[in-house]
Amino acid sequence: MRANMGHLPLLDELAVITAVSVGVMVLFARFRLPTVTGLLFAGALLGPFGFKLVKSIQAIEVLAEVGVVLLLFSIGLEFSLQHLKNIFQKVALGGLLQVGLTTTATFGVAKAFGLPSDTALFLGFVFALSSTAIVLRALSERGELDAPHGRFVVGTLVLQDLCVVPMVLVVPLLGSPAPIADSLTEIGSALGTALFVVLGTLLAARLVVPHLLRGVTKTGNRELFLLTILALCIGTAWLTSLAGLSLALGAFLGGLVVADTEYGHRAMADILPLRDAFVSLFFVSLGMLFDVNVLTRQPLLVGGLFLGFLLGKGFLATLAAMVMRFPARAAWLAGVGLAQFGEFGFVLAKLGQANGVVQPALLSPLLTAGIGSMLVTPLLVRIAPHMRAGERLLAPLERVIGARGIDEAEEAKESLKGHVVIIGYGVTGKLTAQALTACGVRYVVLEANASNVRAARARGEPVYYADATSPEALGHAHAKDARAVVLVINDAQAAKRVVDTAKRVAPEVPLLMRTRYMGEKEGLLALGATDVVAEEVEGGIEVLSRLLRWLEVPRNVIDQRVHDVRQTSQSTERTATLRRRSLKDVRALAMLKIENVLMGEQSVATGRSAADLQVRARTGALIIAVQREGALLQEPDPHTPFQPGDIVYLVGNNDSVRKAVELLNQLRSEV
């Protein structure tokens, strides 16, 4: 008995999980593979189909479900109602197309293989969801979140996460033995209950949560704030579960409510370490389901499901992106990014098994294939930008999407020569185009976002839909006859290909471009770029200059420090500028005041000079300027008499300025 007093249930297995996970993740980090992939692999090693080092799998899965709740709560924290509204406006159709097409196609294939309708629809739900954690991590590491394909992928993943909510409501009803009409009634009732609970929770929380968090924050107790956030997360999840809804839905609602307060960012920062720890357990537990025995017993089924994730689902995601008028390259990369099993697919799988919707004989191969697709996703995302075959196959569809291509510019009668070719029409591209228009320089813009192209063409701007990595596109833009090519796109890999293509099409034309990181500059110059502007350097210099200004460092010292930085990084063609400072910005001069006095006809000072009046000697105030007939005299001659209507500007402390105003404002009748 005494020997077991220090033993805690699960502690030994948690120790094994953390130790093996750390070792595997360190190994994966050396090969620059995502953390999530390492956790899945660690789970496969630890689980019942690996080395069987973990026995209490059900208990681990309970902890993993806590991770799912915290994950959905943090997803809610990242959005807020306004953010959700913006997402729906921009990518709702594309995301719905991807989910709808994948669900419908999977349903049809499953029915063709003789599966019942409820199982077929369940499989459609599972196939429609992708891995938010793996894909976002991969895109973030490659700096592609803001690239065209990155924006589509992120928006679609958000919509998929939202679709989990109705899917979780529908799956339990699929296993119900009731007739279809009754099931539809139950589904409608469940959706109505969900809507009522959602609206009620949001309304109550919007009225209560801000005041609650404000009161907690006033205590200055960080632990109390964290416990309050956890209470909101677990409490909303528990309340929705009492209404027959999922814990996941309640957690998401809790995060959504906190995100709409001023404490959303702090809540995310505090809960992030806790979330990451439990979510790591979730991925390890998911990896434990990878069954090598199933792969050897049913290789055709597992292989078919694996190819269904990679090829079938990837093609449908690509098609959805094409319908949303994304170029072939972006659509191809979006398809690759979304072609895998999702972490919430595991949640649906457990729910489907518990409700008898899917049998273990099908579920095991499904999970094995799905986890396999998650393991290969990071590799596919890495090599996809270098594979041109997918783009070439999709290229014929680009002309169907309704954007005006660059080849149509050749229909214009006037020839393009001595112009500037701008590649990319984001903020920088638009600013460049506006400046060239003001300077009377002709330009042509190549843009891969069809929506931007249509909006610009409606304003009469020479913006054309094109993939600038194509020699034909640069040829139609007459790049070889241009004065310069300006490259300002967010896709780093595509930018390298554009440089290579531009140097082949127009080797004599200078190419100016921007890149995000200073470390990429030398490689781009070696590829053929004439000049490269690194965003992190320009941003760093601007931050440095403003910081030194706030610290009241003299201007010449600031200029020298900026010069030193540029000597070791990159030069600039523009004059350094800093915001003009007022007296209150300089602590040493904060006591000085500026005042002005109007010289009247009857003023004693009118007709006399500052020297005659001895303003400085008698009052201590300094005359710094005189406004006369609308013109500002910044260096007034102290011997020049004041004229009626002059406005005299004085600077000094309160007492000296007051004395000077009294002196200059004195009337002749008062003398």
Side-chain angles (χ1 to χ4, degrees), residues 191-319:
L191 290 174
T193 302
L195 181 61
F196 176 78
V197 171
V198 168
L199 294 178
T201 302
L202 291 177
L203 180 61
R206 291 290 293 272
L207 296 175
V208 176
V209 170
H211 300 288
L212 173 64
L213 293 179
R214 193 173 297 116
V216 169
T217 303
K218 287 181 179 179
T219 66
N221 190 317
R222 183 175 180 179
E223 291 78 9
L224 178 59
F225 182 85
L226 176 59
L227 287 174
T228 304
I229 295 300
L230 287 175
L232 289 171
C233 170
I234 299 171
T236 51
W238 176 67
L239 288 174
T240 53
S241 69
L242 292 181
L245 305 177
S246 70
L247 292 169
L249 172 61
F252 179 77
L253 289 176
L256 207 61
V257 168
V258 176
D260 265 343
T261 70
E262 58 190 292
Y263 308 102
H265 293 294
R266 179 182 173 185
M268 174 64 83
D270 285 356
I271 204 172
L272 207 56
L274 191 63
R275 183 203 71 174
D276 288 344
F278 279 96
V279 170
S280 296
L281 274 178
F282 169 74
F283 283 111
V284 170
S285 69
L286 185 59
M288 291 179 185
L289 299 176
F290 186 80
D291 190 349
V292 179
N293 297 323
V294 171
L295 182 60
T296 56
R297 288 197 309 267
Q298 299 174 284
L300 292 180
L301 179 56
V302 174
L305 291 170
F306 180 78
L307 292 177
F309 280 112
L310 293 187
L311 301 182
K313 182 177 179 179
F315 171 75
L316 294 174
T318 298
L319 187 60

Side-chain angles (χ1 to χ4, degrees), residues 440-517:
V441 179
R442 295 181 63 196
Y443 65 90
V444 168
V445 179
L446 308 185
E447 167 64 18
N449 187 314
S451 299
N452 287 349
V453 172
R454 287 196 304 274
R457 296 298 299 176
R459 297 190 297 268
E461 299 171 17
V463 180
Y464 298 92
Y465 178 81
D467 180 3
T469 63
S470 164
E472 292 77 14
L474 293 178
H476 288 306
H478 297 268
K480 67 180 186 331
D481 298 320
R483 293 172 62 183
V485 174
V486 180
L487 176 56
V488 284
I489 61 177
N490 294 323
D491 189 337
Q493 295 299 319
K496 293 179 182 178
R497 291 169 56 189
V498 172
V499 173
D500 179 69
T501 304
K503 289 291 99 180
R504 286 187 282 111
V505 173
E508 303 301 324
V509 177
L511 188 150
L512 173 64
M513 68 177 297
R514 70 160 189 216
T515 186
R516 182 165 296 177
Y517 303 112

Side-chain angles (χ1 to χ4, degrees), residues 54-118:
V54 175
K55 307 294 183 182
S56 306
I57 296 179
Q58 290 184 340
I60 299 298
E61 287 179 353
V62 171
L63 294 177
E65 292 209 16
V66 176
V68 174
V69 169
L70 292 173
L71 178 62
L72 271 167
F73 181 75
S74 65
I75 289 175
L77 279 175
E78 291 175 352
F79 291 116
S80 81
L81 293 175
Q82 183 60 42
H83 192 181
L84 286 179
K85 179 181 177 182
N86 294 336
I87 288 172
F88 275 124
Q89 290 174 344
K90 295 177 181 178
V91 299
L93 180 57
L96 286 173
L97 273 174
Q98 185 273 325
V99 173
L101 287 173
T102 307
T103 302
T104 303
T106 306
F107 179 86
V109 172
K111 289 293 292 180
F113 278 92
L115 294 177
S117 297
D118 55 350

Side-chain angles (χ1 to χ4, degrees), residues 125 135 157 161 171 184 206 211 234 247 254 261 316 325 366 370 418 444 472 504 525 556 604 627 630:
F125 288 167
V135 178
L157 288 172
D161 291 343
V171 167
L184 290 176
R206 291 290 293 272
H211 300 288
I234 299 171
L247 292 169
T261 70
L316 294 174
R325 296 181 169 85
L366 175 66
V444 168
E472 292 77 14
R504 286 187 282 111
L525 291 172
N556 62 323
V604 171
Q627 183 175 334

